Amino acid sequence: MKITYEEIRKNETINQYIRKADESLIALGYTEHSFPHVTRVAENAKKILLEFGYSSHEAELGQIAGYLHDIGNVVNRIDHAQSGAIMAFRLLDTLKVDTEDVSTIITAIGNHDEGTAFPVNPIAAALIIADKTDVRYTRVRNKDIASFDIHDRVNYAVRRSSLHINKDAGIDLELTLDTGICSLMDYFEIFLSRMMLCRKAAEKLGTNFGLLINGQRLL
């Protein structure tokens, strides 16, 4: 059977895994990986695929992969992409989702984390870009600025984040960065590998990826 994004989003079993996965990351001191993050990733993956001419069905598969991509954190942060892919297989197989669709979704999930990521297909490419460009101060949960580590500082310094998706102009991540909180060097220390992965993912889609910070184009 074909499954819809709305059916996945309303599935309480899936939502419980998302909650529990984020609870683990709270304990580990990570930024927010709950419903605001997975929903934003899902919507941006869909927008990317539609803008670059993929079908509404492929866009929905990207949306579903985006919503499910971080459930593996309920097992462990290490290798969470692979754990999440296996969990997603089990969940979708139980729902009797079409095998080809399941394969596409779990392939994207299993290839989204920068340690092992590769844009093996357009769905995976869209998921990588949507995930790695979700940088914003609202993801920081630590309320004690004095105790911020570099990950907290880098995210908290991003006062505004916009993902521009255009078939003719390419994909640009535009950030307004408070350099009083985080220097450009700190940003690149954490995010350069992710931005280069986004560039590789954009190439899979036949386009370019760019980064603008405080009005300056850096990629």
Side-chain angles (χ1 to χ4, degrees):
M1 63 172 276
K2 299 296 183 183
I3 195 79
T4 68
Y5 172 66
E6 283 304 309
E7 288 174 303
I8 292 295
R9 192 176 66 83
K10 293 176 180 178
N11 186 295
E12 187 52 35
T13 299
I14 289 169
N15 288 336
Q16 186 65 10
Y17 282 129
I18 293 172
R19 290 187 197 99
K20 288 296 182 180
D22 193 50
E23 283 181 18
S24 295
L25 295 183
I26 291 172
L28 291 168
Y30 279 80
T31 53
E32 178 267 316
H33 283 70
S34 190
F35 296 105
H37 172 62
V38 300
T39 302
R40 179 177 292 214
V41 171
E43 293 301 327
N44 280 334
K46 175 186 177 181
K47 288 177 185 177
I48 290 166
L49 290 163
L50 288 177
E51 178 65 22
F52 286 92
Y54 293 91
S55 69
S56 59
H57 180 62
E58 290 170 305
E60 191 155 41
L61 295 181
Q63 207 174 8
I64 291 168
Y67 196 75
L68 296 175
H69 80 281
D70 269 341
I71 58 174
N73 285 303
V74 76
V75 177
N76 198 292
R77 180 62 180 173
I78 297 172
D79 295 331
H80 76 279
Q82 288 72 40
S83 301
I86 293 168
M87 290 175 64
F89 166 76
R90 172 64 174 157
L91 290 162
L92 296 171
D93 190 54
T94 299
L95 293 170
K96 301 190 184 304
V97 177
D98 178 79
T99 302
E100 185 173 353
D101 289 349
V102 173
S103 300
T104 300
I105 292 166
I106 65 173
T107 297
I109 293 171
N111 282 279
H112 87 268
D113 187 55
E114 57 261 32
T116 53
F118 194 84
V120 293
N121 60 39
I123 310 298
L127 174 57
I128 287 168
I129 295 169
D131 181 39
K132 303 313 170 192
T133 57
D134 186 17
V135 187
R136 50 190 163 84
Y137 74 93
T138 52
R139 294 190 68 186
V140 178
R141 292 187 280 216
N142 182 0
K143 303 304 180 185
D144 181 12
I145 296 177
S147 69
F148 276 4
D149 64 12
I150 190 171
H151 294 86
D152 290 331
R153 287 202 315 276
V154 166
N155 282 279
Y156 195 74
V158 176
R159 312 317 295 172
R160 188 175 67 85
S161 173
S162 301
L163 186 63
H164 305 291
I165 305 163
N166 186 283
K167 187 174 182 179
D168 297 321
I171 300 172
D172 283 335
L173 175 62
E174 183 176 5
L175 304 176
T176 299
L177 191 71
D178 184 342
T179 54
I181 297 172
C182 162
S183 69
L184 283 176
M185 186 62 71
D186 281 347
Y187 178 87
F188 276 108
E189 180 180 342
I190 297 299
F191 283 104
L192 181 59
S193 63
R194 300 180 194 182
M195 297 299 96
M196 297 310 293
L197 181 58
C198 286
R199 174 179 280 184
K200 188 178 294 185
E203 289 172 356
K204 181 67 176 181
L205 298 169
T207 192
N208 300 307
F209 177 81
L211 174 66
L212 297 91
I213 299 180
N214 296 347
Q216 299 293 316
R217 181 171 290 277
L218 303 174
L219 281 179

